[in-house]
Amino acid sequence: MRSATPKVLHALGGRSMLGHAMAAARELDPAQLAVVVRHERELVAAAARKLDPAALVVDQDEVPGTGRAVQCALDALDIKAHAGRAAQLVHDDAVDDELHVDHANGGDHPLGDGLDGAVVVLAGDIPLLDGATLGELLAAHHADGNAVTILTTEVADATGYGRIVREEGTGDVLAIVEHKDASDAQREIREINSSVYVFDAAVLRRGLGGLGTDNAQGEVYLTDVVASARAEGGAVRALLSDDPMLVEGVNDRVALATLGAELNRRVLEGWMRAGVTVVDPATTWVDVDVELAEDVTLLPGTQLQGATTVATGATVGPDTTLRDVEVGAGASVVRTHGSLAVIGDGASVGPFAYLRPNTVLGANGKIGTFVEVKNSDIGAGSKVPHLSYVGDTTIGEQSNIGAASVTVNYDGVAKHRTVIGSFARTGADNMFVAPVTVGDGAYTAAGSVIVKDVPAGSLGVARAQQRNVDGWVERRWPDTPSAQAAAAARTEEAASPTPLGRQAQRQLAEHNSLTGAVPTVPPAGAQAPGSGSENRTDDSSAADTEGNTQR
């Protein structure tokens, strides 16, 4: 693989090759699952224990070969079987003189030989192998009473694979011959060994005891057990799979990509047959652990990874990547990147949204364009429509967060939380400096920096009064297009028979056309009612003075 990562830990379909092998094995509900490690043993062992804490991790010594790997595993399983039986004997208070049998004189081990029954062996680099195929192999083994049952397939080019040599007439397996040890005639055989077997435990134990390294590779071959089983008179048969991809191995990144694409094709086909619409399978990738309901629609460029779930009627995509995200029924998620988030029923997300871990959007809520959310709960029906950052925040129900708002959650040392109540309306370009609370039904004015709590039903305003500096452009940037436009406007205003500006004149004309009235125009220099030093005391006038909130 030319990689610092051990081969079996390379992933496809959201799961390592080791994970695929262990998942397939677990579908058989085995009495014990053993994983043999050798190359990069610490990394592989840690991964195996994380995937299945109950798995028995077995360390292969420096003797190479598949036979040696299985021998180490069987020894460990035998020891565990002996320990279990000894514990049972102690529990039953049945330990007696039988425990002192003289093995040197040929006596039987009081605890038995160890593991008994069927032993299934599979390689860690055949990721498309599934539990159903293993189940068929095991069923055939029991039905025929075989000593060994081998899973095989036929390929157009068998170069590099072990060949299945069959007995004429019966079709039983005479031997498995590795490519480097095969004769020219044997290399013409297209049926190959998949490295997947079922052995009778006693047959396997005896066969492994007689293995050597007399071969081109200098390894202990597991395939030599086939010859020993036949020598004992046991039945060795093969189950031929008509799907070569199921047992295709991975030895480089080209094969990893090829099998990854094939796995994805099979996953998508399964979901489409289950009632999911996949508009463009060529650009849609769904991991094996993803769960989709009927009538889900996946648009082009969608990637669903990890433990993502999508409920019925939801639409995801285009150009969306979700990892470990829960999408509710009827929700829409467009051009969004998200991880470890929950999107409620009927909610809308995107386009160009970023959902970071612990984001929870309630039913019928909205996270809109260029919005980033992290570690926040947004209540049912609440909206963060555009150009905002919401971090470490709780928002109640049916609230609206104005454009270009930021919850300022980090003081350089610690994170703090912002709380915005239900039915609140916050203005555009607001900064909420946490910790801070905006109560239920409260408003905040546009352009405010909210550093103190806003009580329920109150208007929070935190900004300086506007000041206009007359003639600044013409003085600061004379002879520019802006200065020339300003000068022309001043000339036009001076020549106008009314002190009203152009916008006011247009509004006056519209008013006249609608009402037929001819309102009195104040003479030049006159003071308009309600302006100047006239005192204002009512709340509505104060709110108007401070500016409109976000609508």
Side-chain angles (χ1 to χ4, degrees), residues 232-416:
E232 290 181 348
V236 179
R237 297 188 173 94
L239 179 67
L240 179 66
S241 170
D242 59 2
D243 186 354
M245 295 295 278
L246 277 181
V247 294
E248 183 77 18
V250 173
N251 286 317
D252 56 34
R253 295 180 195 250
V254 175
L256 184 69
T258 300
L259 289 185
E262 175 61 19
L263 176 61
N264 187 67
R265 186 195 66 77
R266 296 180 184 215
V267 168
L268 292 180
E269 180 178 324
W271 285 121
M272 286 187 283
R273 296 191 184 282
V276 173
T277 294
V278 181
V279 174
D280 184 15
T283 62
T284 303
W285 292 80
V286 175
D287 282 353
V288 294
D289 290 326
V290 169
E291 292 292 333
L292 306 175
E294 290 182 357
D295 291 322
V296 163
T297 298
L298 304 183
L299 298 178
T302 293
Q303 301 177 66
L304 302 182
Q305 302 170 342
T308 294
T309 64
V310 185
T312 184
T315 299
V316 181
D319 306 323
T320 294
T321 300
L322 303 179
R323 175 177 290 278
D324 303 324
V325 173
E326 179 183 327
V327 181
S332 172
V333 186
V334 181
R335 288 191 170 88
T336 293
H337 188 99
S339 61
L340 290 168
V342 176
I343 299 167
D345 294 350
S348 172
V349 179
F352 310 114
Y354 181 22
L355 308 185
R356 293 169 61 188
N358 297 319
T359 292
V360 178
L361 176 62
N364 301 309
K366 179 180 179 63
I367 293 174
T369 308
F370 298 111
V371 174
E372 178 181 347
V373 183
K374 182 216 69 161
N375 193 30
S376 296
D377 294 309
I378 300 173
S382 289
K383 300 177 180 180
V384 187
H386 29 229
L387 302 164
S388 298
Y389 170 72
V390 177
D392 299 290
T393 299
T394 299
I395 300 173
E397 298 181 356
Q398 304 297 330
S399 289
N400 187 84
I401 307 302
S405 292
V406 174
T407 58
V408 186
N409 57 334
Y410 185 50
D411 64 7
V413 176
K415 298 289 182 71
H416 302 281

Side-chain angles (χ1 to χ4, degrees), residues 132-149:
T133 302
L134 284 179
E136 291 177 8
L137 182 68
L138 185 59
H141 178 81
H142 288 309
D144 293 343
N146 295 339
V148 183
T149 310

